[in-house]
Amino acid sequence: MNRASKILAVLLIALTATVTAQEPAAPEADSLTENVFEGVRRAAAQENISTTLLVVFIVTVISLAPAILVMTTSFTRIIVILGFLRQALATQQTPPNQVLIGLALFLTFFIMMPTYQRVNDESIQPYIRGEIATADEALEKAVAPVREFMFRQARAKDIKLFLDIARLPRPDTPDDVPTHVLVPAFVISELTTAFEIGFLIYIPFLIIDMVVASTLMAMGMMMLPPIFVSLPFKIVMFVLVDGWNLLIGSIARSFA
C-alpha cells in the first residue's frame, strides 16, 4: 500500500467512524471536527503529504463515503427489505423514497454503532492523542472491527466464491482473507438474506391478494381490479399486527 492510499484510508475511517460513534454527551461539533482534522494533519505530516494533495484526499473521501456506507454496513439489507415491503403492500410511492432511505440510514447508524464505537476507541482517538505512531497501525486497528462485523454476516460459500475467482489459496484464519475479497462476499450475502426476508414478507400479502381475486371472480366482478379491494385489507392487517414494530425489530435482531 503506497503512502497516498494509507492516508486516504485513515482519513476515510476518521470521517465516517468518528462522526457515527458519538454518544449523546459527545463534544460539540467544532471540537469533533478539530479532532478529526488533527488526525488528518498528523497523518499528512508523518507521510510527507502536501496540503494540496490532502485536499484531493478529502474530496475523494467525500465522494466515496456513500459507496463505503452501502458496501460495508447493514444499509444494503435494510433498504432492500423496506423496498420489498412497499412492493408487497402495493402502495406505490408510500412511504416515499426519502422516508425509506432516511429510516434505513438511521437504522444503519443504530446497528453499526457498537462497531464504529470500537473503531473510534481503538484507532481514531489513540491516533489523535499520539498513542499510535503510524498510519499503518491506525488503519489496521480501525479495519479490524469492521471486518469482524462483515465476517459475522458473510456466508462461507460467498467468501469461497470470490477466493476462487481471485485464484487465492484457502485461508487458514479469517485474518488471511483479503478485504477486497471480504467486501463483495459480504454484499452478496446481504442481498441473499434480504431476498429471503423479502420472500417471507410477501407471503401474507400474496394470500390476501389471492383471496380477494378469487372472491371477486366468484362474484362475477371481473372488471373491478383486485388491487383496489385488497389494498385496504393489506394496510389494515399490517397496522393491526403492528407491522413496523415487528419488521424493524426483526431487521435489527438479524444482525445480532
Side-chain angles (χ1 to χ4, degrees):
M1 181 181 294
N2 55 36
R3 292 183 174 182
S5 60
K6 293 176 185 177
I7 299 302
L8 177 59
V10 172
L11 176 58
L12 176 60
I13 295 169
L15 290 179
T16 55
T18 308
V19 173
T20 57
Q22 298 302 310
E23 299 292 338
E28 297 296 332
D30 292 342
S31 176
L32 174 60
T33 304
E34 181 180 351
N35 288 339
V36 171
F37 281 95
E38 176 62 26
V40 173
R41 286 192 294 268
R42 292 190 63 226
Q46 291 181 10
E47 299 292 341
N48 297 322
I49 302 298
S50 66
T51 304
T52 303
L53 190 56
L54 184 59
V55 173
V56 175
F57 289 156
I58 295 175
V59 174
T60 303
V61 168
I62 293 174
S63 64
L64 291 177
I68 298 298
L69 175 65
V70 170
M71 293 299 185
T72 62
T73 66
S74 58
F75 181 84
T76 300
R77 183 188 303 186
I78 296 171
I79 194 63
V80 172
I81 292 174
L82 294 178
F84 272 118
L85 173 64
R86 187 170 66 180
Q87 291 183 14
L89 284 170
T91 53
Q92 302 300 326
Q93 295 299 316
T94 303
N97 290 332
Q98 294 87 341
V99 174
L100 292 185
I101 294 175
L103 177 59
L105 284 173
F106 277 100
L107 283 176
T108 299
F109 293 151
F110 174 80
I111 293 170
M112 298 300 298
M113 184 67 71
T115 299
Y116 283 138
Q117 185 66 54
R118 285 186 55 196
V119 173
N120 185 56
D121 294 342
E122 298 176 8
S123 176
I124 304 301
Q125 294 303 323
Y127 187 74
I128 291 174
R129 294 193 298 265
E131 298 173 3
I132 297 178
T134 65
D136 281 343
E137 185 180 355
L139 176 60
E140 182 179 354
K141 290 182 177 296
V143 170
V146 180
R147 283 173 54 90
E148 288 181 16
F149 171 81
M150 290 191 289
F151 266 116
R152 288 198 302 270
Q153 308 304 326
R155 302 186 306 171
K157 62 188 302 183
D158 292 327
I159 297 177
K160 182 179 182 300
L161 169 65
F162 287 97
L163 286 173
D164 292 341
I165 294 174
R167 297 181 180 179
L168 296 175
R170 179 177 179 178
D172 295 328
T173 64
D175 293 337
D176 296 333
V177 177
T179 302
H180 72 274
V181 169
L182 177 60
V183 171
F186 168 76
V187 175
I188 295 298
S189 299
E190 288 294 278
L191 290 174
T192 301
T193 303
F195 273 66
E196 292 173 351
I197 297 176
F199 171 76
L200 297 177
I201 291 174
Y202 252 100
I203 291 177
F205 299 111
L206 180 60
I207 293 175
I208 293 177
D209 286 333
M210 294 175 61
V211 171
V212 170
S214 300
T215 303
L216 292 178
M217 185 176 296
M219 296 175 63
M221 304 175 66
M222 310 294 293
M223 302 302 294
L224 180 63
I227 186 69
F228 289 167
V229 180
S230 64
L231 179 58
F233 287 101
K234 290 191 287 187
I235 294 176
V236 168
M237 183 199 72
F238 190 71
V239 172
L240 289 178
V241 300
D242 200 4
W244 287 111
N245 183 287
L246 293 175
L247 179 64
I248 299 304
S250 298
I251 292 175
R253 294 186 186 96
S254 68
F255 290 96

